[in-house]
Amino acid sequence: NKQSKLIKKIGLDNLFYNIEMPLVSVLLNIEYNGIYLDKVYIKKLSSELKVKIAELSENIYSMANKEFNINSPKQLSEVLFDDLNLKQIRKRSTAVEVLEILKKYHPLPDIILEYRHLNKLKTTYLDGIPKFLNNETGRIHTSFNQTVASTGRLSSTKPNFQNIPIRRDKGKEIRKAFKPQNKGWKLISADYSQIELRIMAHFSKEPALIEAFLKDEDVHLKTASLVYGIPVTSVSSDQR
């Protein structure tokens, strides 16, 4: 009773009753049906990364002139700051932002960053996600939350499908493991077309943004071309 009065008072009744509540049954169906995972493909990727991680480990040991636990911040800090005498940026921190600075002075931090990236992909996603496979359905049934993210977006847990990295090639490779189960089936992706930028263009009256939307251009390509001072046709995916 208290919430329904509050919802009406602040003008959220249309959002709550006509958008959020009808969505519950849709999300329930998605969770119940689950998603197919190509187990053979993901196992192959995991094996490939295992080899790459082993190679990086050997490189790291070679540069450090000793074997140590790369995943231990304490042991890594001893190598970086005691053995190699690198500058302590934030006491003896081995955080990503510190390693990003230190890689300018020695090649080891850069290899550590690559090792961490690949190790996380392997342990969290390639080895972690298959553990959520349901034995009866052979699919993964995540949980969608409507009231967790402060932005109003859905969040996904057990497993979190939404934080699989996509900025680098290996992350994109992992996403290929989620595919239609049968021939002729399709996965459909639907999204608002840059909804926040459209709102921003409307309120700011920014000419370049408005022109891009009116011409139905890829606004990220347009922005990148303006930032880098190059033609739209020359913009790479990373620049975009």
Side-chain angles (χ1 to χ4, degrees):
N1 286 337
K2 189 175 181 180
Q3 294 295 343
S4 58
K5 285 169 189 167
L6 184 61
I7 285 166
K8 192 167 185 181
K9 184 181 177 183
I10 55 181
L12 292 176
D13 37 358
N14 180 50
L15 172 68
F16 180 75
Y17 294 109
N18 298 326
I19 296 174
E20 293 291 356
M21 290 312 291
L23 187 61
V24 173
S25 58
V26 176
L27 295 177
L28 177 65
N29 277 332
I30 297 171
E31 290 179 0
Y32 183 80
N33 288 322
I35 189 162
Y36 175 72
L37 179 79
D38 188 331
K39 289 182 282 186
V40 175
Y41 174 81
I42 210 160
K43 200 171 181 180
K44 178 173 167 283
L45 268 186
S46 182
S47 299
E48 288 172 3
L49 274 199
K50 187 178 180 181
V51 172
K52 182 67 180 166
I53 289 165
E55 288 172 4
L56 288 171
S57 299
E58 287 306 315
N59 279 352
I60 291 165
Y61 299 148
S62 173
M63 282 188 184
N65 289 318
K66 67 178 184 182
E67 288 196 14
F68 65 99
N69 182 356
I70 304 167
N71 299 316
S72 161
K74 183 177 182 294
Q75 290 185 35
L76 178 58
S77 69
E78 286 170 4
V79 168
L80 294 174
F81 306 118
D82 299 334
D83 301 345
L84 297 177
N85 285 315
L86 291 175
K87 185 182 177 185
Q88 293 182 31
I89 306 298
R90 207 169 61 210
K91 292 189 177 176
R92 294 173 68 83
S93 171
T94 59
V96 173
E97 56 271 24
V98 172
L99 294 179
E100 287 287 353
I101 296 168
L102 292 177
K103 73 181 186 182
K104 297 170 188 170
Y105 306 101
H106 196 281
L108 181 59
D110 201 23
I111 299 175
I112 298 281
L113 285 168
E114 182 65 10
Y115 168 89
R116 280 187 183 173
H117 171 67
L118 296 184
N119 197 45
K120 182 172 183 182
L121 289 183
K122 185 179 183 302
T123 54
T124 307
Y125 305 109
L126 295 174
D127 299 339
I129 285 175
K131 290 176 183 173
F132 289 96
L133 272 167
N134 183 292
N135 292 329
E136 288 182 32
T137 64
R139 289 171 162 233
I140 294 177
H141 304 266
T142 188
S143 295
F144 290 110
N145 313 298
Q146 284 170 270
T147 56
V148 171
S150 57
T151 55
R153 291 185 175 197
L154 287 173
S155 71
S156 160
T157 48
K158 295 184 181 179
N160 184 350
F161 279 138
Q162 294 168 300
N163 69 346
I164 299 172
I166 200 170
R167 292 191 185 279
R168 291 170 70 174
D169 290 340
K170 284 294 176 190
K172 291 174 187 173
E173 291 295 311
I174 294 172
R175 291 197 175 196
K176 290 178 186 173
F178 301 98
K179 54 178 70 170
Q181 189 166 359
N182 298 321
K183 199 175 178 182
W185 288 15
K186 289 180 179 175
L187 287 178
I188 295 174
S189 170
D191 192 9
Y192 283 115
S193 174
Q194 289 113 20
I195 188 72
E196 294 96 341
L197 284 179
R198 289 177 188 272
I199 293 167
M200 191 169 79
H202 172 77
F203 283 110
S204 68
K205 305 285 189 286
E206 210 293 312
L209 265 183
I210 292 168
E211 184 189 14
F213 285 126
L214 290 177
K215 289 183 177 177
D216 206 22
E217 294 174 337
D218 181 327
V219 74
H220 296 312
L221 271 182
K222 173 91 172 178
T223 305
S225 76
L226 290 169
V227 169
Y228 291 103
I230 55 176
V232 170
T233 49
S234 303
V235 175
S236 69
S237 59
D238 281 345
Q239 287 172 325
R240 181 185 180 278

